[in-house]
Amino acid sequence: MNRSGIDNMLALDRLPFLDGSVTAHYEGSIDKQGGNADWDWWLYQDDRGEWVLLDVDGPGCIYNFVQHRYPSSKVPVFRFYFDGELEPRFTITPAEFGKKFPFIKPLADIFVGDDIPPQGRGPIWVVRSFVPMPFRKSCRITSSVKLEGADKTKGEGGWGHAIYHRYATVEGVKTFTGQEDYSPLLRAWAAVGHDPKEVTGPEQVAGNVTVASGATVSLLDLTGAGCVTALRLHADPLSAVWLRDLWLRVTWDGHSRPDVECPLGAFFGNEIGNNRIGFLTHGQTSNGTFYCYFPMPFGKSARVELMNRGQGNGPRIAYELLLAPAAKVLAPLQYGYFKASPYYPPTAVRRGRDSIIAEVAGRGHIVACTLTGRSLNNQYVSCEGDVRLYIDGRATPQIESDGSESHACYGWGFVYPPQQNPVSGYDGSGHPLYEFSETRINLGDRYPFQTGFRFAFEAGGHNDTDMVHSGVVLYYGVEAPGMILTDEVAIGDADSERAHDYRVERQVWHGELTAKYEDDVDTVRTAPGRAFNGSSEFVATIRTDNDGVRLRRLADQQHGRQRVRVVVDGVPVSERTWYQPDQNPHRRWLEDEFEIPAEYTRGKSRIKLRLEVVSASESPAWTEFQYWVYSHLQAPTGKQGK
């Protein structure tokens, strides 16, 4: 298994492979009270006086780093520490993004926003990086400046985020040095619009069609195994109305429901169509050709169709599909089908509620999404709405953003001319802003899920803006889950504690907590629980044929930096500690997780778990209210699932 980071971002042919040992995470400047004060980003101040922005224990890889600031604010120095090093392995200032190797264009850059009325809050710098930075043991990112506030007259500016993967094991991971060979990745990223995959001798299926109103035409109807490696469509002219009314429908292996069924605009990453926007994986070239280079494997059959859901005959469209035998692009591992979530049609926002763009069950990983916002009654459209991704039924969002523009790694809304980089960008009406369509591609930082996901999109700073949302999520997946719940332990419940042989040492608190979650509806829950600065232990039931175990905890995050060592049947998990560095004293409920690699659990039906506080000086105590125990399922090789 190769987890160099560079290969994960470059090898599009490996995108279909499903890996249950990877999880995606976010750390950033989210308003802890649930509003729009998304401008404070730090976890704690360390012994050197540096402000810690990210603190991860165990193997993983950083894939995206973004920080917003005013040019007039104090210049921060960002330091990256790996594997417990006392001295930073890499340092960079905002002005060096796009210039200092390997943080060079197009992997890293600065977006400069002007001072545009009536907002008048610019100019703004948004430094962003997609440079992969893997680590074997741990990673910390610090800032020399406390990133807080939003008042440029005071030199403030504290927005930002880091998106990273955690790996269950250290297999295949080599810690970032900054001297890696990035040339293949830089070449691919510099050639947006061209297929970055290396597929020799593909078969071509091409033709020209005109789709009458209400009609459906077939572009491909094939029996047998293979892989669609490229899809191109060209219509001249293609007005914006056809981005909405012409739909693409794709069905793999005779599935009862289409795997893809959505408008061309949503599928190719731009529902508005004011400008031609293109990304590494899909989009539109400067000459108007739509392209998609996501590999799309199938085992038995493939059917690709165009539908006209509008009035009148559609434009004449030239199409081309490139096909390759599955054996040429796929190893004998389980892979997911290329899919799109059911299209979320233009829908007026419900005040106080996120728009649920997608809700999907099964196993897989997200590779792209397109989100579109339009005004009601020609009112200004706000881009302050956060994106919230809930994975595998967790009540705490696993991926967030401080505004939809930050999700696309830009800033101050989409009031500027259309922008694009190889993995994110947007089209819009400019200023005043009445509509926008933004796309984010997830290559190295794909978002894995084992039982499903819910993709939510906020309107305005606290779902307080009248607008219309639409969108689609692209992913690889199968309907069968990748893990199942095999046990639950309710802390504070005498029967549950007795059934699981629960014990606790050096308890410092027990009782009930009533608090809110960090979700869009301020869900309130009351539950009994305990806190300790010693240890707790319990016995849990798992599947004998497990491929590892995931623990989920319901915790009180009033205090951050909670850390325990996880011991399985007397053997400490050496890959990492269970560490939660962040805190939220306002919305205190947290659901966080810990991966136990299969070497500790394989072949067992029960395990004895012991959680030992590592250092009581970091946090007053470890808190626990409930544990969910999931068994990862061993994936059959050479199969796609249903």
Side-chain angles (χ1 to χ4, degrees), residues 193 232-237 276 284-291:
R232 300 186 184 97
L233 302 175
H234 185 86
D236 193 14
R276 292 170 178 175
Q284 190 176 22
T285 64
S286 59
N287 72 356
T289 298
F290 290 98
Y291 62 91

Side-chain angles (χ1 to χ4, degrees), residues 27-28 32 42-43 557 559-562 580-584:
E27 190 68 70
K32 300 297 187 182
W42 73 87
L43 297 172
Q557 60 177 335
H559 298 287
R561 306 188 71 189
Q562 298 183 31
Q580 173 58 29
D582 207 352
Q583 64 178 324
N584 189 338

Side-chain angles (χ1 to χ4, degrees), residues 69 75-76 78 92-100 110 125 127:
R69 62 179 294 272
V75 178
F78 300 119
I92 190 169
T93 63
E96 293 176 311
F97 280 75
K99 301 175 183 177
K100 183 175 183 178
I110 298 177
W125 280 14
V127 298

Side-chain angles (χ1 to χ4, degrees), residues 8 46 79 114 194 299 406 436 466 510:
N8 285 341
D46 67 14
R79 296 182 175 93
D114 298 326
H194 299 276
S406 278
F436 67 86
D466 292 325
H510 71 92

Side-chain angles (χ1 to χ4, degrees), residues 49-73:
E50 297 175 22
W51 297 93
V52 179
L53 308 179
L54 179 71
D55 193 3
V56 181
D57 193 28
C61 184
I62 301 167
Y63 279 106
N64 182 218
F65 178 82
V66 175
Q67 203 265 316
H68 306 203
R69 62 179 294 272
Y70 297 109
S72 58
S73 65

Side-chain angles (χ1 to χ4, degrees), residues 6 11 38 70-71 96 156 163 180 208 222 364-365 424 453 460 480 508 587 589 625 627:
I6 296 175
D38 295 322
Y70 297 109
E96 293 176 311
E156 296 177 340
I163 294 176
E180 289 81 2
N208 294 274
L222 183 67
H365 50 243
S424 68
F453 68 86
V508 297
R587 294 147 73 90
W589 282 133
F625 292 77
Y627 290 101

